[in-house]
Amino acid sequence: MKENPAALAPELALVVAAVVGAVASGWLPRRRQWAVRLLAAGACVGGLVATALAMLGPPERVFDGSYAIDPATNAARVVVLGAALVVIGLSAEPLRAHPHESEFYVLLLLASAGAIALVGADDLLTVFAAYLLASVPSYGLVGLLRDRTGSEASLKYYLLGALFGIVMLAGATVLVGLGATSSYPGLREALDSAPRAAVAFGAVCVTAGLLFKIGGVPAQFWVPDAVDGASVPAAAFVTTIPKIGGLGAAFRFFTEALPAGRVDWALLVAVTAACTMTLGNFAAFAQTRVKRLLAYSTIGQVGYLLMAVAVAGRNGLAQQALWYYLAAYTVTNLAAFAVVAELPAARTLSDYRGLAHHRPLLAGSLAVSLLGLVGTPPTALFVGKLEIFTAVIHGGYTWLAVLAILNTVASLYYYLRWLVPAFLHAPSPHPAVLSSGGTWSAATAYAAATATVILGVGAAAVLPLGAGHLLP
Amino acid sequence: MKFVLSLITFFPAAAALLFAAVPTGRPGRFFLRAWVAVAAIEMVLVVALWVAYDPHGGYQFTESLPWIPSAGVGYHVGVDGISLPLLAMTAVLFLACAIYSLREARRPRAYVCLFLGLQTVCTGVFVALDLIVFFVFFDLSIVAMYFLIAGWGHGEAAKAAALKFFLYTFVGSVVLLLGFIGLFLASSPHTFDIVALTKADPLAGRGLYAGVVLLALGIGFAIKTPTVPFHTWLPPAHTEAPAAGSAILAGVLLKLGTYGFVRIAMPLLPGAWRRFALVFIILGALSAVYGALVALAQRDFKRMIAYTSVNHMGFVVLGIGAAGVLAGTDAQARTLAVTGAVTQMVSHGLITGALFLLSGVLWDRTASYDIEAHSGLAGPAPAFAGLTAVAAFASIGIPGFSGFVAEFQIFAGSLGSQVAATAIAVSSIVVTAALFLRALQRMLAGPLHLPERPSGVARFADLTTREAAAVVPLLVASAAIGVAPRWLLDVIEPAARNLVHLVGG
């Protein structure tokens, strides 16, 4: 049993930086809080370097087998740390010299560490601890600006999180009770002879908690309010990083903790995926505020991602597809949020009219990110969709792939509702609504949009990183 | 010569990126003229390719690079006797559109960049030898055309038409992707490579699976072609698009669908194609008749031409469907049908391209496509009237133009096994003849009458040099094929024979 803290270097880097940042924020003048931002970015870069080193080494299980350092954990580290860097990039201006700027970065680091830990956890109790580490800072991030909508959204997010946390804990308790162990390999063995109904109950409850983290049906209610009520950086965070953790955790839980053939979790996840994507995409139709539209769009995207979880374990394609899609979705979604951050005064779809005339590059970034979310080649999500559809059809869920296709077409409609004013309508009589948020957010938008295309064209180099066996 | 196809494919896109990066302040004329230069260079490259091409050599100028090996995707391109003529037609039509658009006043830079991007994706579809490479270009053609129709079409209705076009054809393209995935999963080792899949024929003897995959491919390509009943996106898109956009949409984009049948559906699913050939024969004959009849009922000149496209594409589908029926026919007849179908694709691109550009001339003068509102145009505009008449006759299929060569081969090749369907399709030619003659008579003959316009005097200027320079070469090319078709047929026939051999099992 290894108890080598160095194996957790990326996670520890985030936590240590968060603690240092929290202490430092107490005496840093408001204008100098950028030091904490720098510290946070440094921690992410350091974590990425440590992850690269970990990737060279063999997979291992550490701390009494409660935590796995394997391809999935490393992929989660790369995606989460990369996403955190992008969020830091697009939050530079909106939060500059804000009374809570330091706190934002501290909470971001802690929640990111929690998201990674969710994926690495190979033990039900570790998963629950990671769930709390990922969730509690998120509530704070959503309500950080302390305005009315933000506080309300934060409260809703917190209450639902607490509810689903209890449900998850109940499920974990049942499973641990049945299996007399909390470690995944032990559970897998023990649950094979446990009563089927009890195993199903426990599994469903744990799934419910993870669905809350990723914003899947039926735990998606918080997403639109939290995204719309929070600041743009917090919204960008809450629609990406927790989902990475939740989906990675679900994938590992289903494939490693549940005995094969004991409960038909695949069908449960497939139905959840179908409901999630359909609800998200169709609810997005009626939205007129850009953040709400993006919120429902992320629910739709989670539906596609859940498809990969549904066929987890059926073939080798699912895992690679899930991680590639997560990386692609994260960078594409963050590109869209970076555009929103760059235009702080534009809140509705019609506010964007004439964007192509005033800011051709920014409009181009918006087009790349939104068409990317549809899955237009050659952006990353095209390859992601190709991978997921292939895995799903190969796994025998052709109906799910067909439904996803219909959803994709439907999603095109509402993304176009945003692009049409930006590209085709005459410029607004009040150009102030398109005033720039600052250099950093613009640069982040350009960089993320470019990364979307590079990730798609250069998929060959990235795809294998998500593959490789999970530790048993 | 190693990367000549990549050069031909990506040169326009590279030019577009360059134009987009040029600092603002340049006059619009600069970009429009530069576009003509790019299109001309592209034309020269394609001519050089044609000269170097060996008609009996199978796929040539191939390039094969790994792209996403773990997903079975490779960058594989090449041309054969089916794709090369379409490639050449694409280059000719884009050059004509570049010349035609020299006076474009609305956001010329973005207009030029979109057209150049469109040329890259259309060329890319024709050279692709990997299903995913094919799909990437196929899908992007929709995006580029959407912005062209919505941004440069005729007002608010254009946005609605563009949206309908985008959503409708996007459905086709994603269904197509499912079919490609089906092919991929059936192959072993998994691959998207068209050549490898043709060789392996992974769905041989797998009835239901092959049928479902063919259904997906069929829907995808039928929407793009379009055949009845998937054609409803076409008339509004054509009516609302700018003239050059319509010319490309009808001339090149519709071919992406029929080309897909010939390049992918037939060789990769030969067994299923034979089994369901009758479906395509019926769809083809139905499209031909339906397109012609609905065209007859139109008052709008451009809409009428749009529906004749449905008619002409119906002939193509009939021909390739007939190539899948072995009973009552021989390989020679089937080769004739396929050769005719490919010739028809080229021919339709040239003739309909010319007709749409001429309808653009009409719109520039009177802001109307209404057939009834115009008459006596031959008086003030003899060149316009003459070219319109020539293009219309070419479209009807009179001997001496490419349409005759194409349709004659299709019918001669199909008649042996499909007497009824062929007879029905042939009868639609009478309808197209009637509708074109009626339109010509109304608009060109009689006393001069022009639609009322709130401003400006009622006068109709004849074709300018620019407009003539865009339209005449298209009709000359059509006549060259019509009078001396061997230079084209010698390229198409070996490839068609090869395809018939593959489908023949």
Side-chain angles (χ1 to χ4, degrees), chain B residues 474-485:
Chain B
L474 298 175
L475 296 175
V476 168
S478 171
I481 297 170
V483 174

PDB file of all heavy atoms in Angstrom, chain B residues 474-485:
ATOM      1  N   LEU B 474     -19.870  29.027 -70.126  1.00  0.00           N
ATOM      2  CA  LEU B 474     -20.614  27.871 -69.641  1.00  0.00           C
ATOM      3  C   LEU B 474     -21.362  27.208 -70.780  1.00  0.00           C
ATOM      4  O   LEU B 474     -21.372  25.972 -70.924  1.00  0.00           O
ATOM      5  CB  LEU B 474     -21.604  28.301 -68.549  1.00  0.00           C
ATOM      6  CG  LEU B 474     -20.989  28.900 -67.280  1.00  0.00           C
ATOM      7  CD1 LEU B 474     -22.086  29.393 -66.336  1.00  0.00           C
ATOM      8  CD2 LEU B 474     -20.131  27.873 -66.581  1.00  0.00           C
ATOM      9  N   LEU B 475     -21.999  28.041 -71.611  1.00  0.00           N
ATOM     10  CA  LEU B 475     -22.765  27.486 -72.721  1.00  0.00           C
ATOM     11  C   LEU B 475     -21.836  26.922 -73.790  1.00  0.00           C
ATOM     12  O   LEU B 475     -22.149  25.903 -74.427  1.00  0.00           O
ATOM     13  CB  LEU B 475     -23.685  28.560 -73.297  1.00  0.00           C
ATOM     14  CG  LEU B 475     -24.751  29.023 -72.294  1.00  0.00           C
ATOM     15  CD1 LEU B 475     -25.567  30.180 -72.850  1.00  0.00           C
ATOM     16  CD2 LEU B 475     -25.668  27.875 -71.908  1.00  0.00           C
ATOM     17  N   VAL B 476     -20.684  27.547 -73.975  1.00  0.00           N
ATOM     18  CA  VAL B 476     -19.714  27.023 -74.937  1.00  0.00           C
ATOM     19  C   VAL B 476     -19.244  25.639 -74.493  1.00  0.00           C
ATOM     20  O   VAL B 476     -19.162  24.696 -75.297  1.00  0.00           O
ATOM     21  CB  VAL B 476     -18.525  27.991 -75.095  1.00  0.00           C
ATOM     22  CG1 VAL B 476     -17.380  27.321 -75.860  1.00  0.00           C
ATOM     23  CG2 VAL B 476     -18.968  29.264 -75.797  1.00  0.00           C
ATOM     24  N   ALA B 477     -18.986  25.521 -73.196  1.00  0.00           N
ATOM     25  CA  ALA B 477     -18.558  24.215 -72.684  1.00  0.00           C
ATOM     26  C   ALA B 477     -19.640  23.173 -72.903  1.00  0.00           C
ATOM     27  O   ALA B 477     -19.364  22.028 -73.297  1.00  0.00           O
ATOM     28  CB  ALA B 477     -18.215  24.326 -71.206  1.00  0.00           C
ATOM     29  N   SER B 478     -20.885  23.573 -72.642  1.00  0.00           N
ATOM     30  CA  SER B 478     -21.985  22.642 -72.841  1.00  0.00           C
ATOM     31  C   SER B 478     -22.077  22.223 -74.297  1.00  0.00           C
ATOM     32  O   SER B 478     -22.267  21.038 -74.612  1.00  0.00           O
ATOM     33  CB  SER B 478     -23.295  23.284 -72.382  1.00  0.00           C
ATOM     34  OG  SER B 478     -24.388  22.486 -72.744  1.00  0.00           O
ATOM     35  N   ALA B 479     -21.909  23.197 -75.206  1.00  0.00           N
ATOM     36  CA  ALA B 479     -21.964  22.884 -76.628  1.00  0.00           C
ATOM     37  C   ALA B 479     -20.790  22.003 -77.038  1.00  0.00           C
ATOM     38  O   ALA B 479     -20.936  21.081 -77.853  1.00  0.00           O
ATOM     39  CB  ALA B 479     -21.964  24.178 -77.442  1.00  0.00           C
ATOM     40  N   ALA B 480     -19.628  22.264 -76.446  1.00  0.00           N
ATOM     41  CA  ALA B 480     -18.456  21.446 -76.786  1.00  0.00           C
ATOM     42  C   ALA B 480     -18.700  19.991 -76.428  1.00  0.00           C
ATOM     43  O   ALA B 480     -18.325  19.078 -77.184  1.00  0.00           O
ATOM     44  CB  ALA B 480     -17.224  21.982 -76.055  1.00  0.00           C
ATOM     45  N   ILE B 481     -19.342  19.779 -75.291  1.00  0.00           N
ATOM     46  CA  ILE B 481     -19.665  18.399 -74.913  1.00  0.00           C
ATOM     47  C   ILE B 481     -20.733  17.834 -75.838  1.00  0.00           C
ATOM     48  O   ILE B 481     -20.704  16.667 -76.228  1.00  0.00           O
ATOM     49  CB  ILE B 481     -20.140  18.337 -73.442  1.00  0.00           C
ATOM     50  CG1 ILE B 481     -19.018  18.789 -72.511  1.00  0.00           C
ATOM     51  CG2 ILE B 481     -20.604  16.932 -73.078  1.00  0.00           C
ATOM     52  CD1 ILE B 481     -19.465  19.000 -71.080  1.00  0.00           C
ATOM     53  N   GLY B 482     -21.670  18.696 -76.213  1.00  0.00           N
ATOM     54  CA  GLY B 482     -22.770  18.235 -77.050  1.00  0.00           C
ATOM     55  C   GLY B 482     -22.331  17.865 -78.455  1.00  0.00           C
ATOM     56  O   GLY B 482     -22.828  16.903 -79.033  1.00  0.00           O
ATOM     57  N   VAL B 483     -21.387  18.629 -78.988  1.00  0.00           N
ATOM     58  CA  VAL B 483     -20.982  18.404 -80.374  1.00  0.00           C
ATOM     59  C   VAL B 483     -19.926  17.303 -80.450  1.00  0.00           C
ATOM     60  O   VAL B 483     -20.012  16.407 -81.290  1.00  0.00           O
ATOM     61  CB  VAL B 483     -20.460  19.720 -80.988  1.00  0.00           C
ATOM     62  CG1 VAL B 483     -19.890  19.466 -82.379  1.00  0.00           C
ATOM     63  CG2 VAL B 483     -21.565  20.759 -81.042  1.00  0.00           C
ATOM     64  N   ALA B 484     -18.930  17.384 -79.586  1.00  0.00           N
ATOM     65  CA  ALA B 484     -17.841  16.399 -79.631  1.00  0.00           C
ATOM     66  C   ALA B 484     -17.617  15.843 -78.238  1.00  0.00           C
ATOM     67  O   ALA B 484     -16.730  16.282 -77.521  1.00  0.00           O
ATOM     68  CB  ALA B 484     -16.557  17.066 -80.150  1.00  0.00           C
ATOM     69  N   PRO B 485     -18.434  14.884 -77.817  1.00  0.00           N
ATOM     70  CA  PRO B 485     -18.385  14.449 -76.415  1.00  0.00           C
ATOM     71  C   PRO B 485     -17.244  13.505 -76.062  1.00  0.00           C
ATOM     72  O   PRO B 485     -17.023  13.247 -74.904  1.00  0.00           O
ATOM     73  CB  PRO B 485     -19.731  13.739 -76.234  1.00  0.00           C
ATOM     74  CG  PRO B 485     -20.091  13.258 -77.591  1.00  0.00           C
ATOM     75  CD  PRO B 485     -19.506  14.226 -78.559  1.00  0.00           C
TER      76      PRO B 485
END
